[in-house]
Amino acid sequence: MSSNLFSFVAGTAGDWRIARIERVAGGGLPAAERLAVLEGPLEPSAGWHWSLRGFVSNVRYATRAETRELRARQPPLARPSATCAALIPIRKSAQWWELAQDERRAIFEERSRHTAIGLDALPAVARRLHHSRDLGEPFDFLTWFEYAPEHEGTFERLLERLRGSEEWRFVEREVDVRLVR
Amino acid sequence: MSSNLFSFVAGTAGDWRIARIERVAGGGLPAAERLAVLEGPLEPSAGWHWSLRGFVSNVRYATRAETRELRARQPPLARPSATCAALIPIRKSAQWWELAQDERRAIFEERSRHTAIGLDALPAVARRLHHSRDLGEPFDFLTWFEYAPEHEGTFERLLERLRGSEEWRFVEREVDVRLVR
């Protein structure tokens, strides 16, 4: 499998302590103590409660201008100061996936300002997007965020703005997993 | 894994007889007698020489107008008259994948007329596109075509036009596998 594949394994082991798991829409996820973020396919091991997989891929909506701005401003993962993290798995509706590329782009950016909202949280919030739908997983996307405790407000505002957008009307399942290192 | 996953297994078994395997660009594929097209992950079995996997996914470039026209005109697979098939695995360059969405769309359609060229071969040539790159496979895409023997000329013209397009300058590996049922 690709080296772009990541597994998020919740159970009794892992670098991250799970502070809370909140169901936002649709079915939630079971409680667990810790989360491990593993590169590559899941290595079966004892003590895990649930696991989710996704791959990092090419950009699907961003234009050259947006990509240039994102790359200039987005911070790397694993900054020592970023001791807070969030894993936000979402699944979009069948209606979303039946839309053509120009229709999805128009909702995603022209009407919902997804990239613009994300840029406003940079460089405070680091982010990595994982695609899951094409693997037959229960969610379509797993987004992983990292930030320092003093930027929690910036992160909450980011989520609030995205959840209030037209794009989010197509989100039929969402779970919010908060973690501390 | 997803039910959208397909495996193409070349060896001594399968519904399709391999008529020829031609290397178009980059490394080729070993000779084999027959090809099986399997739904789901590969079931290991004796007698196979090589196998390729890919998943069917949402459209990545087509607009609503293009999608509507494609859906109205594209025939299903497995027509009794369509006894000829082709499997064409391609890999695009790193330069292609670093392009933003608007840049890839402009090359794919505005400048190379990929969808328009494909529409010209409908309904003679049935087609299914499989995405492989995100699985860490050796190719990025596996396209499967089916047509009746009398439409071979239409199919050759389709390939010729695509291979002459600007988009194909980004294709660094391509193999052309022809099959008969």
Side-chain angles (χ1 to χ4, degrees):
Chain A
M1 293 289 274
S2 168
S3 60
N4 290 331
L5 188 74
F6 291 85
S7 299
F8 297 86
V9 184
T12 54
D15 286 346
W16 295 89
R17 179 176 65 77
I18 298 177
R20 63 186 173 86
I21 300 181
E22 186 196 346
R23 188 186 73 79
V24 182
L29 284 169
E33 286 165 52
R34 302 194 74 84
L35 185 93
V37 183
L38 306 175
E39 269 193 73
L42 171 64
E43 297 293 326
S45 69
W48 63 278
H49 299 184
W50 50 264
S51 78
L52 298 170
R53 298 176 313 147
F55 52 77
V56 174
S57 188
N58 59 293
V59 297
R60 302 291 167 87
Y61 298 108
T63 62
R64 169 53 52 193
E66 289 159 358
T67 306
R68 190 179 297 122
E69 206 169 348
L70 281 167
R71 285 183 188 161
R73 288 167 63 183
Q74 60 198 358
L77 294 183
R79 290 172 293 178
S81 62
T83 56
C84 298
L87 172 67
I88 306 202
I90 67 165
R91 187 176 68 220
K92 285 178 169 173
S93 65
Q95 192 198 346
W96 171 263
W97 292 111
E98 279 155 21
L99 293 174
Q101 179 68 24
D102 58 339
E103 295 171 314
R104 279 181 277 107
R105 161 72 198 187
I107 295 168
F108 180 91
E109 195 60 35
E110 275 67 51
R111 309 216 295 267
S112 299
R113 314 295 297 154
H114 190 128
T115 302
I117 290 170
L119 279 165
D120 283 347
L122 299 183
V125 179
R127 169 187 169 279
R128 191 171 65 202
L129 175 66
H130 312 79
H131 298 257
S132 290
R133 180 171 183 259
D134 291 321
L135 299 176
E137 288 274 309
F139 294 94
D140 293 342
F141 302 101
L142 313 173
T143 314
W144 175 260
F145 302 93
E146 290 179 5
Y147 50 92
E150 62 266 33
H151 292 130
E152 189 166 4
T154 301
F155 181 62
E156 295 296 347
R157 179 79 188 119
L158 166 71
L159 290 187
E160 193 184 303
R161 292 174 70 192
L162 286 173
R163 287 174 181 158
S165 71
E166 181 180 342
E167 184 194 351
W168 243 251
R169 293 188 211 159
F170 295 90
V171 172
E172 60 179 25
R173 188 177 178 193
E174 177 173 5
V175 184
D176 186 337
V177 182
R178 295 301 174 94
L179 309 109
V180 179
R181 190 176 54 191
Chain B
M1 290 288 273
S2 169
S3 60
N4 291 331
L5 188 74
F6 291 86
S7 299
F8 296 88
V9 184
T12 54
D15 287 345
W16 296 90
R17 179 175 65 76
I18 297 177
R20 62 186 174 85
I21 299 181
E22 186 196 345
R23 188 187 72 81
V24 181
L29 283 169
E33 286 166 50
R34 302 194 72 85
L35 185 93
V37 184
L38 305 176
E39 270 192 71
L42 172 64
E43 297 293 325
S45 68
W48 64 275
H49 300 186
W50 50 263
S51 77
L52 298 170
R53 299 175 314 146
F55 52 77
V56 174
S57 189
N58 58 292
V59 298
R60 302 291 167 86
Y61 299 107
T63 62
R64 169 54 52 194
E66 290 159 357
T67 306
R68 192 180 295 121
E69 206 170 348
L70 281 168
R71 285 183 187 161
R73 288 166 63 182
Q74 62 198 356
L77 294 183
R79 289 171 295 178
S81 63
T83 56
C84 297
L87 173 66
I88 306 201
I90 67 167
R91 186 177 68 221
K92 285 179 170 171
S93 65
Q95 192 197 349
W96 172 263
W97 293 111
E98 279 155 21
L99 293 174
Q101 179 67 26
D102 58 339
E103 295 171 314
R104 280 182 277 107
R105 160 73 199 188
I107 296 168
F108 180 91
E109 196 59 35
E110 276 67 51
R111 308 216 295 265
S112 300
R113 314 295 299 152
H114 190 128
T115 302
I117 290 170
L119 279 166
D120 283 347
L122 299 183
V125 179
R127 168 187 169 279
R128 191 171 64 203
L129 175 66
H130 312 78
H131 298 256
S132 290
R133 179 172 184 260
D134 291 320
L135 299 176
E137 288 274 309
F139 294 94
D140 293 342
F141 302 101
L142 313 173
T143 315
W144 176 258
F145 301 94
E146 290 179 5
Y147 50 93
E150 62 265 34
H151 292 129
E152 190 167 3
T154 302
F155 181 62
E156 295 297 347
R157 180 78 188 117
L158 167 70
L159 290 187
E160 194 182 303
R161 291 174 72 191
L162 286 173
R163 287 173 181 159
S165 71
E166 180 180 342
E167 185 194 351
W168 244 251
R169 292 188 212 159
F170 295 89
V171 173
E172 60 178 28
R173 187 178 179 193
E174 178 174 7
V175 184
D176 187 337
V177 182
R178 296 301 173 94
L179 311 110
V180 179
R181 191 176 54 192

